[in-house]
């Protein structure tokens, strides 16, 4: 029985994804230009093919990134990842999405000529940024 499932994301920029993963101290590997990666699923014959990117989980089961029409999707054997690492699918995805959004916003703020002068996190883990632009 296959445990492999895909998760559609709002991730559109691999540069910000790499920054997010670096900030989260998650290791990754990018496929060489013009090549694709194949990742292992739990069963011997389960293979996740056509990945352009691999996010390491600390086990032999990784999260693959596939490009689908200008967006990226996360593909993994989530059962195997949770079983062998204790990491739950929702927790991993939420952590990556949150950091990706943060990296994207920081870049956009900078592009608009603002600088971040204060950053706080509230009790619900929401990040509040105060930005300023000098004229």
């Amino acid at each position: 029985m296959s445990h492999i499932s895909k998760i559609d994301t709002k991730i559109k920029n691999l540069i910000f994804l790499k920054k997010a993963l670096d900030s989260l101290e998650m290791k990754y590997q990018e496929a060489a230009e013009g090549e694709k990666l194949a990742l292992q699923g739990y069963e011997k014959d389960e293979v996740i093919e056509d990945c352009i990117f691999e996010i390491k989980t600390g086990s032999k089961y990784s999260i693959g990134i596939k490009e689908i029409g200008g967006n990226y999707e996360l593909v993994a054997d989530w059962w195997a990842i949770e079983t062998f690492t204790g990491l739950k699918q929702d927790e991993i995805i939420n952590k990556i999405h949150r950091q990706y959004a943060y990296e994207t916003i920081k870049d956009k703020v900078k592009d608009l000529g603002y600088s971040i002068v204060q950053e706080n996190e509230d009790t619900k883990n929401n990040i509040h940024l105060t930005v300023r632009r000098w004229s």
Side-chain angles (χ1 to χ4, degrees):
M1 180 178 167
S2 177
H3 301 111
I4 297 172
S5 60
K6 66 178 184 169
I7 306 296
D8 294 328
T9 69
K10 301 289 183 199
I11 295 173
K12 297 175 184 266
N13 188 310
L14 284 181
I15 293 170
F16 296 132
L17 176 60
K18 290 177 196 177
K19 286 181 180 183
L21 295 173
D22 287 339
S23 294
L24 295 169
E25 298 181 356
M26 295 178 80
K27 295 180 180 177
Y28 57 87
Q29 175 185 342
E30 198 168 0
E33 191 172 327
E35 294 186 18
K36 304 283 183 168
L37 300 171
L39 310 179
Q40 180 66 48
Y42 181 69
E43 298 289 331
K44 286 184 180 182
D45 59 346
E46 287 185 338
V47 178
I48 304 167
E49 296 180 334
D50 299 324
C51 296
I52 60 166
F53 206 82
E54 173 186 13
I55 301 171
K56 309 285 187 177
T57 64
S59 74
K60 68 179 185 177
Y61 307 105
S62 299
I63 302 166
I65 304 287
K66 291 185 177 187
E67 185 175 12
I68 307 293
N71 287 328
Y72 298 94
E73 67 182 13
L74 304 176
V75 184
D77 188 330
W78 295 106
W79 177 87
I81 290 171
E82 183 174 346
T83 300
F84 293 98
T85 68
L87 301 171
K88 296 184 184 296
Q89 174 183 334
D90 289 344
E91 293 169 0
I92 296 169
I93 292 169
N94 289 341
K95 187 165 58 169
I96 292 170
H97 280 165
R98 181 177 190 259
Q99 193 65 36
Y100 174 84
Y102 175 77
E103 298 297 338
T104 303
I105 289 168
K106 274 186 11 181
D107 187 73
K108 298 299 178 195
V109 163
K110 184 179 175 186
D111 283 351
L112 292 170
Y114 291 87
S115 59
I116 298 172
V117 295
Q118 187 175 10
E119 181 178 324
N120 297 313
E121 191 170 328
D122 65 22
T123 56
K124 294 183 180 179
N125 295 325
N126 295 313
I127 298 173
H128 301 272
L129 298 175
T130 304
V131 299
R132 181 173 294 142
R133 179 168 61 182
W134 297 99
S135 303

